[in-house]
Amino acid sequence: AMAKQFSSGVKREGAVVHFESNEDDPMTGVIDLLAKQKTREYVQIQLEGGIAFGTGEHPTTQLCLDWVRDKVEEQLENDYGDNSINFIDYGAGSGVLGIAAAAVVRDFNQSKRRSKKEPGATKSINAVGVEIDADAIHIANNNAKMNQVEMVNYLPTLDSLDGESLSVVMRAIQKKRNKALKSLPDEMNGPIFDLCVANILAEPLVSLAPTIASLVKSGGEIGLSGVLATKADSVADAYQIFFDDVTISDEEGGWVLITGKRK
């Protein structure tokens, strides 16, 4: 029944999530980011990992996918002289949002190469995920490889974790299969990111506000979800200290997207 529900797809104005039944793995999803304007081309993403890690069907993922595509395209269209975008997904899960960002850049470059007009400079993206769940990191890294995009996923830095989260990470890194996992490197653990998306839950988002703010450069933007409309104000209040124009900018099925620009 679940596979059938997924194969029917979920549609809304900004994105189509099209789940294809697959005999080998009925939980393999295929996401199509469909244009709000008809001039946009499809960006297709394949995901494995089942519903536990975010297959793209949840309203919060939809809200974030719309935001990611809009903001990455905005960066691509504005030529600041810097051809690289730094993008971080905090609480990356299946990696869907970072993979989506990287896929938009990849497809932009491919369409530039196909264009008969002046091709212009190729753009690049440094897409990074941070995730506390070691199993999710393995899945997200595999999903990135499957989609032929570069997105590296890291554990959070230990000093950014509270007691409970720290014990989860410490237990995970004791396991043999997680020995290769690394924390966010020092060169990325600072205000370098143009875009930060975090689709978690209201309470952790509130406690993570200083950490997330420390990663976003001045003028950089955030898209936060996993937030019920009833808890939106508490999240917005936590981020207004660090960000200007903190706004509940979209809503879907009782969930909201909160956006802002780093001071």
Side-chain angles (χ1 to χ4, degrees), residues 218-241:
S218 182
E221 296 185 66
I222 48 163
L224 312 173
S225 197
V227 181
L228 287 163
T230 51
K231 298 191 174 177
D233 287 345
S234 65
V235 176
D237 288 347
Y239 283 82
Q240 271 162 351
I241 306 162

Side-chain angles (χ1 to χ4, degrees), residues 18-244:
H18 183 62
F19 291 85
E20 293 185 347
S21 296
N22 178 320
E23 284 176 22
D24 300 322
D25 179 8
M27 296 311 254
T28 295
V30 176
I31 293 183
D32 283 322
L33 300 181
L34 177 62
K36 283 178 185 169
Q37 299 90 17
K38 287 179 185 170
T39 53
R40 279 175 164 178
E41 293 179 16
Y42 277 92
V43 178
Q44 194 175 79
I45 302 165
Q46 285 188 292
L47 290 178
E48 288 176 357
I51 54 173
F53 296 108
T55 51
E57 178 262 351
H58 196 272
T60 62
T61 316
Q62 293 281 348
L63 288 166
C64 290
L65 281 168
D66 274 358
W67 182 84
V68 165
R69 181 158 196 178
D70 286 345
K71 291 298 166 186
V72 170
E73 287 188 344
E74 223 171 78
Q75 294 270 335
L76 292 171
E77 283 155 19
N78 294 330
D79 196 355
Y80 302 119
D82 183 358
N83 291 320
S84 184
I85 300 164
N86 285 328
F87 178 98
I88 189 164
D89 178 1
Y90 210 96
S94 65
V96 57
L97 300 173
I99 291 166
V104 169
V105 175
R106 178 197 63 203
D107 289 7
F108 172 86
N109 287 329
Q110 285 174 353
S111 68
K112 276 264 190 190
R113 282 195 285 272
R114 287 195 303 266
S115 171
K116 288 176 183 169
K117 299 173 194 167
E118 185 61 39
T122 301
K123 304 279 184 172
S124 64
I125 185 166
N126 170 35
V128 173
V130 174
E131 174 55 59
I132 197 169
D133 185 325
D135 292 334
I137 292 177
H138 292 298
I139 287 167
N141 286 338
N142 287 337
N143 279 333
K145 279 184 194 144
M146 183 166 65
N147 286 282
Q148 299 179 311
V149 297
E150 283 188 37
M151 180 199 182
V152 185
N153 294 275
Y154 298 99
L155 290 162
T157 55
L158 299 182
D159 61 2
S160 69
L161 299 169
D162 60 26
E164 191 183 339
S165 303
L166 184 60
S167 65
V168 169
V169 171
M170 294 307 288
R171 277 199 305 274
I173 57 180
Q174 301 305 314
K175 292 182 181 171
K176 197 172 176 182
R177 75 192 200 89
N178 295 331
K179 291 291 183 197
L181 299 185
K182 294 183 171 64
S183 292
L184 189 68
D186 287 347
E187 65 270 20
M188 293 182 192
N189 189 24
I192 67 162
F193 292 96
D194 303 289
L195 299 171
C196 173
V197 69
N199 185 15
I200 318 177
L201 287 168
E203 286 78 7
L205 278 173
V206 168
S207 59
L208 282 166
T211 301
I212 286 174
S214 74
L215 296 169
V216 182
K217 70 184 188 186
S218 182
E221 296 185 66
I222 48 163
L224 312 173
S225 197
V227 181
L228 287 163
T230 51
K231 298 191 174 177
D233 287 345
S234 65
V235 176
D237 288 347
Y239 283 82
Q240 271 162 351
I241 306 162
F242 308 102
F243 292 84
D244 289 324

